[in-house]
Amino acid sequence: KALPNHRRWTCLAAALLAAPLLLSVRAQAKVVDTVSYSRVESAGLKGQSNKDVAKYADFGDGLRVEFLDKPKYGKDDTDALREVQSGDTVTVDLIGYLAGWNGVVFVRTQDKSGYSENPITFKVGGQEAIPGLDRGVVGMVKGEKRRMVVPANLGYPRPLKDEDLGKPGAIPNPLASSSGSGAPWELRNRLLNGVINNSSRDDTLVL
């Protein structure tokens, strides 16, 4: 349903699993153009090779996007057919996975039944969401689903402080996840201590 005063867009993100979904470049972060995992780190991720990821659309700077589902609307439904562009305010549902840490979930906006409990709203091009998400929604239509492989340079700033979560450049915020996704502090720790502030792990995200 459309929210008052702005368009609502739903982009359900997903990891490299069976299920279907701007800031400065960090000098110390590893830039990953394709996703590569060790045998240990691939635990919990669907077997998917770099060749698969290479087939995704190239959105620049290492951002790869797979088009999962695009609703069909009537030609007269101009509102639904309109594509997201810079300056739009969008509302999205997503699931975020840490590719560098066994594919664990660090943020989820829907409950287990699929109900949109805590969707994320941000202005495209307003440097509110992490760059990869901000770029990845451009061109979407209402109800479209995409999978985004977000490299380190288009993700969260590094190092990342707890108080920065939810502020411009650090959205989505794990602490604002839907109920049933896990304890907020645990989701936060997965992102901050498990990956972003841990130089031994690749901080590629999958949305």
Side-chain angles (χ1 to χ4, degrees):
K1 299 180 181 179
L3 296 179
N5 303 321
H6 69 270
R7 307 173 53 78
R8 173 177 179 139
W9 308 81
T10 304
C11 64
L12 178 62
L16 309 178
L17 300 169
L21 178 21
L22 273 193
L23 331 300
S24 58
V25 175
R26 290 159 281 161
Q28 298 181 0
K30 297 177 288 299
V31 178
V32 181
D33 292 322
T34 54
V35 183
S36 178
Y37 310 105
S38 67
R39 181 170 299 179
V40 174
E41 294 292 2
S42 65
L45 287 175
K46 174 185 175 182
Q48 185 159 347
S49 68
N50 290 338
K51 181 182 292 186
D52 296 319
V53 176
K55 296 177 182 178
Y56 294 178
D58 185 354
F59 273 47
D61 296 322
L63 176 63
R64 294 282 181 172
V65 177
E66 181 183 20
F67 305 100
L68 299 175
D69 181 61
K70 189 172 185 177
K72 295 181 179 179
Y73 297 105
K75 295 181 179 179
D76 296 332
D77 194 348
T78 56
D79 181 68
L81 290 171
R82 182 180 177 278
E83 297 183 347
V84 173
Q85 56 188 337
S86 182
D88 288 341
T89 295
V90 298
T91 297
V92 303
D93 276 307
L94 55 78
I95 304 173
Y97 300 84
L98 300 172
W101 191 14
N102 302 331
V104 296
V105 173
F106 73 93
V107 63
R108 183 194 300 267
T109 64
Q110 296 175 310
D111 64 17
K112 295 299 179 64
S113 70
Y115 173 72
S116 179
E117 186 175 315
N118 289 319
I120 297 168
T121 298
F122 62 92
K123 184 176 181 179
V124 180
Q127 298 186 330
E128 296 176 358
I130 59 174
L133 176 59
D134 191 70
R135 292 189 191 184
V137 299
V138 173
M140 294 186 74
V141 299
K142 184 178 180 180
E144 183 176 349
K145 298 178 182 179
R146 292 181 178 181
R147 174 181 291 124
M148 306 171 192
V149 179
V150 182
N153 57 303
L154 296 179
Y156 293 88
R158 193 173 190 173
L160 182 63
K161 298 179 181 179
D162 185 66
E163 57 267 28
D164 293 332
L165 291 171
K167 294 182 179 179
I171 295 173
N173 180 5
L175 295 172
S177 292
S178 62
S179 58
S181 300
W185 63 266
E186 182 179 5
L187 297 175
R188 175 202 61 200
N189 285 348
R190 289 176 182 177
L191 177 66
L192 267 64
N193 301 328
V195 173
I196 300 299
N197 296 329
N198 185 343
S199 60
S200 65
R201 282 198 172 108
D202 170 19
D203 52 350
T204 296
L205 309 174
V206 183
L207 304 174

